[in-house]
Amino acid sequence: MPLPLNNQAQTFVSPVTFLTDKDVLASSANLVPETLPQAVCHGRVQNPEVMVQKAWWKSVFGDNLYLQTDGDVVEDPAITLEEVRLLENYQVIHSTLKTIPGNDSEKTRILDLCCGQGRHILQLAKLYPHLELHGHDQSEYLIRLAQSRAEAAEVTERTHFTIGDCRSIPHPDNTFSLVLVMGNSFGYFATDNANTDLLKEICRILKPGGIAVLDLADGAYLRENFSPRGWEWIDDTMIVCRERQLSKDKRRLVSREVVISTGKGVIRDQFYQECLYDLNEIDQLVREAGLVTHGKGKEGDEAKVSENTLGKDMSKRGEDLGMMEQRNFVLITKQ
């Protein structure tokens, strides 16, 4: 069932615009309940690592609070457009996006894995109407929102969304020419084996010669430069305070967010973690999954990595960006 909308689809400009939770909040009580469940604030926590739930992403991305706390990046259409432009800078990706199939050819299929509210799919649907675009995410809330926005943008015929674990993608082998893992969505699992399982699933559904893009936190940078504490005003009535520390083995960054409303007090106290991989470590995981880093070892081929600092450079709040501050685009391929 799609989320309710309070008006018709807006006229597109460049970059793509679409309805957001803020647009419909006044007329829809279904997005944010009037009465929130009683929040628990854990006070001072000496060891945040033990507070992280095994599947922390189910609650963190389970409602629209994520779109508020991270909205300066993930809800800014200008940043989404610029991220797509960064992808287009790679000739191999640009060629895939631009290819228009002949009468007897199947459409180019692209998967946005861990697609969230579908921001990259909607932008690609505007720029490349000949593509067949798929999004897969574990969050039912975000997928419903993506479907609602696709309906508002009148692109439902060429955008398709599914819900489930990213290690179990409901598509046959060798389906996609391009797989995107955008917005720092890699490294959520606590072990290398689990993260490698995700790469193996990408290998399964990627066509031979296809390309996958990992947009992931710059682990080498963050190990040395993460901010132990930070805070930012989300709007005039909501503030989020964050604490961060490295895990005991120094391989993960553990974060805590306490979200406070001026009218309701603490409304969320949540813990999460992400693995910090440098480029050599990513290359090893990629090879273990049966993939190769694109261009590695081929003289004259384009660079396999580009830096993504759009969050830091373009965020309108410009405050505490955490793991979205500095990321790497890493291209991998299936031979």
Side-chain angles (χ1 to χ4, degrees), residues 94 110 117 131 138 198 222 224 228 234 260 266 288 304:
H94 189 254
I110 294 176
Q117 71 275 26
L131 296 176
Q138 62 82 32
L198 168 56
L222 283 172
E224 302 298 327
I234 303 306
I260 304 168
V266 174
E288 289 175 0
K304 66 181 185 295

Side-chain angles (χ1 to χ4, degrees), residues 128-311:
Y128 303 100
H130 57 276
L131 296 176
E132 183 180 314
L133 298 161
H134 295 258
H136 185 71
D137 199 281
Q138 62 82 32
S139 171
E140 181 179 357
Y141 170 79
L142 292 176
I143 288 295
R144 287 179 62 208
L145 184 56
Q147 291 170 328
S148 178
R149 291 176 172 180
E151 182 179 351
E154 300 181 349
V155 294
T156 54
E157 291 187 0
R158 57 183 188 272
T159 58
H160 313 274
F161 296 95
T162 52
I163 302 170
D165 193 304
C166 61
R167 295 165 296 181
S168 181
I169 302 168
H171 293 282
D173 297 357
N174 307 319
T175 295
F176 296 100
S177 300
L178 176 63
V179 176
L180 305 175
V181 186
M182 301 294 290
N184 192 30
S185 297
F186 183 82
Y188 286 2
F189 302 114
T191 67
D192 290 346
N193 287 339
N195 288 316
T196 302
D197 286 342
L198 168 56
L199 293 173
K200 289 179 179 178
E201 183 69 349
I202 291 175
C203 183
R204 182 187 69 80
I205 52 93
L206 194 64
K207 287 183 175 182
I211 296 293
V213 180
L214 302 180
D215 172 15
L216 71 161
D218 185 338
Y221 172 85
L222 283 172
R223 282 193 189 103
E224 302 298 327
N225 297 282
F226 76 90
S227 175
R229 291 178 179 82
W231 61 272
E232 61 177 326
W233 284 99
I234 303 306
D235 55 32
D236 291 340
T237 63
M238 187 180 298
I239 189 171
V240 57
C241 302
R242 298 184 177 98
E243 295 179 322
R244 303 181 185 91
Q245 67 178 42
L246 291 174
S247 60
K248 187 176 181 179
D249 61 7
K250 310 297 183 184
R251 294 179 56 82
R252 286 164 286 124
L253 187 61
V254 181
S255 301
R256 178 190 188 183
E257 286 187 346
V258 180
V259 186
I260 304 168
S261 164
T262 56
K264 297 178 180 178
V266 174
I267 60 175
R268 191 70 55 85
D269 187 359
Q270 58 192 14
F271 299 80
Y272 54 91
Q273 64 183 2
E274 294 186 43
C275 291
L276 298 178
Y277 291 117
D278 62 33
L279 295 179
N280 288 329
E281 291 166 334
I282 281 292
D283 189 61
Q284 180 177 345
L285 294 185
V286 165
R287 287 187 282 107
E288 289 175 0
L291 298 159
V292 295
T293 307
H294 179 70
K296 188 175 181 61
K298 297 181 180 180
E299 186 177 354
D301 207 341
E302 60 187 327
K304 66 181 185 295
V305 176
S306 67
E307 188 178 81
N308 180 358
T309 60
L310 290 176

Side-chain angles (χ1 to χ4, degrees), residues 308-320:
N308 180 358
T309 60
L310 290 176
K312 176 171 59 178
D313 298 338
M314 297 182 65
S315 168
K316 292 182 176 63
R317 291 205 298 256
E319 298 181 18
D320 184 28

